[in-house]
Amino acid sequence: MYGKLFTLILAVFGLCLTSYSQVDDGTGTGWGDLNPTESLVLNDNFQSYDFFHSDENPADGSSENSIDPVTSEVVYGYTNRVFDVPFLGAEATKATYDCYQCAFAPEWQTAYGYDNATENTTNVSDGFIEVSRTYGSNPGQIQGYFIVDLRELDYVEVVQYTHSSCGGNKRGILLEYSLDDSLTWDTLRMQLSDGRTGSYNTTDVYGPVRTENTYNCQPSGYGMVWEDGIWASNVMLRFSISPNQVPRIHDLKVYGVLRDPGDPNSAEDINKNLLRIHSYDKMIRISEPADVKVYNIAGKLVRTVENSNVVAMNDLTEGVYIVKAQAGNRLKTTKVFVK
């Protein structure tokens, strides 16, 4: 009896260790924790683009330049392409993809999903855009990027995306953002490669405040899932390498507010004049600088800020608050839950 009990304890202990290991590795942040309230305006799994890759299957690795043995000319494994992609529900308003030194595989699984005849990580689609890295081969390769221009949106709330590695595991990803028409770029998320932890995630673009996280990219051969809040306008995103590893971008979802400049009477055009207020991670965020007053549920004024996009609430208790924000002649009052 005692022997069976001891065996059972060991089994439970082993399951706990296994569970902890899975949680520690994880597959990214998942989708939904930021609870986006704006509409889904862009949803792309990159399955509609013509194939352009030097290899025959996902497990072969990154696309590579080569030399034609007959003509001695360079056969490029990466190319430059620009696409205009209509936002959902607004054909006249588009995102622009600027793909510099990228490869395209619209039907491929993740490398390990293909190699092990199993499924990708949940929410990771087949098909991807692959971004090149600097590589000292002959002929050589140079670092690429994949820019997503969202400036035609009136407001970007949350972005969700997935990435995988090219023929291996432990590969990271870098996502940057610009709010000044690409004059400057800052890190939105950097996940390090080679299984390392201690990468940084910028959760507040108006800080910018970088928060260390414990995610590593051990499972990236099957794909990893990410979600980041932006809460801003005039947004551009740029996917790139981190550090010196080739990422494959499988999915991109953007939640935000549409703008239709061709129809001044449209609901989207009217809505662009509205202030938008969100709460996440003990911070209240406003879509543009405003004078803000925050009241508790009993009506007591607990916070006042002027000409700011953010209101820090980290020293106040969790609960419902009433927020009054005014920018010029525009005024909005709403309830938010701070946690």
Side-chain angles (χ1 to χ4, degrees), residues 14 89 102 117 148 167 169 204 211 236 240-241 260 286 306 324:
C102 292
V148 181
N169 233 0
D204 182 358
T211 305
M236 300 176 72
S240 187
I241 63 171
D260 186 355
I286 301 92
E306 295 182 354
K324 293 184 177 181

Side-chain angles (χ1 to χ4, degrees), residues 11 13 17 25 85 102 113 115 124 128 150 154 165 176 186 215 221 234 250 259 268 276-277 295 302 335-336:
F13 183 70
L17 288 178
D25 286 345
V85 182
C102 292
D115 204 33
V124 179
F128 53 77
L150 301 174
D154 183 56
S165 59
E176 299 169 295
D186 204 348
Y215 297 109
N234 205 55
H250 289 254
R259 175 167 55 89
E268 291 84 3
R276 293 173 180 85
I277 301 172
Y295 301 83
V302 296
K335 289 182 180 179
V336 299

Side-chain angles (χ1 to χ4, degrees), residues 43-241:
N43 185 9
D44 204 342
N45 55 17
F46 312 115
Q47 294 178 351
S48 62
Y49 304 102
D50 293 337
F51 181 89
F52 188 97
H53 203 283
S54 66
D55 293 323
E56 295 184 357
N57 63 63
D60 285 341
S62 59
S63 192
E64 293 185 3
N65 300 338
S66 60
I67 297 177
D68 189 299
V70 177
T71 65
S72 298
E73 295 180 350
V74 177
V75 179
Y76 292 99
Y78 293 98
T79 187
N80 305 328
R81 295 180 181 177
V82 177
F83 305 96
D84 287 330
V85 182
F87 291 112
L88 300 175
E91 293 296 316
T93 309
K94 297 178 173 64
T96 298
Y97 295 167
D98 181 359
C99 304
Y100 176 70
Q101 292 301 289
C102 292
F104 303 82
E107 298 180 356
W108 280 5
Q109 279 187 272
T110 60
Y112 277 20
Y114 174 87
D115 204 33
N116 297 321
T118 186
E119 299 294 326
N120 301 341
T121 296
T122 302
N123 288 326
V124 179
S125 300
D126 293 347
F128 53 77
I129 294 178
E130 179 181 296
V131 182
S132 69
R133 62 175 171 171
T134 302
Y135 190 66
S137 58
N138 184 24
Q141 295 173 189
I142 60 176
Q143 181 177 329
Y145 55 75
F146 168 31
I147 290 177
V148 181
D149 187 345
L150 301 174
R151 288 177 293 177
E152 286 298 305
L153 288 176
D154 183 56
Y155 178 67
V156 177
E157 181 191 18
V158 170
V159 294
Q160 298 171 335
Y161 51 100
T162 66
H163 98 284
S164 73
S165 59
C166 57
N169 233 0
K170 307 178 183 178
R171 304 296 193 258
I173 185 175
L174 172 65
L175 176 57
E176 299 169 295
Y177 70 91
S178 175
L179 303 180
D180 57 8
D181 305 315
S182 78
L183 292 177
T184 59
W185 295 89
D186 204 348
T187 301
L188 185 64
R189 177 176 294 278
M190 183 177 72
Q191 298 298 152
L192 297 176
S193 63
D194 301 324
R196 289 176 284 174
T197 59
S199 50
Y200 291 90
N201 166 18
T202 300
T203 58
D204 182 358
V205 301
Y206 290 102
V209 179
R210 293 181 181 171
T211 305
E212 184 173 348
N213 66 59
T214 57
Y215 297 109
N216 67 53
C217 291
Q218 181 72 29
S220 63
Y222 296 97
M224 302 188 73
V225 179
W226 307 104
E227 178 180 66
D228 288 296
I230 297 183
W231 304 289
S233 301
N234 205 55
V235 175
M236 300 176 72
L237 303 175
R238 183 169 69 183
F239 292 94
S240 187
I241 63 171

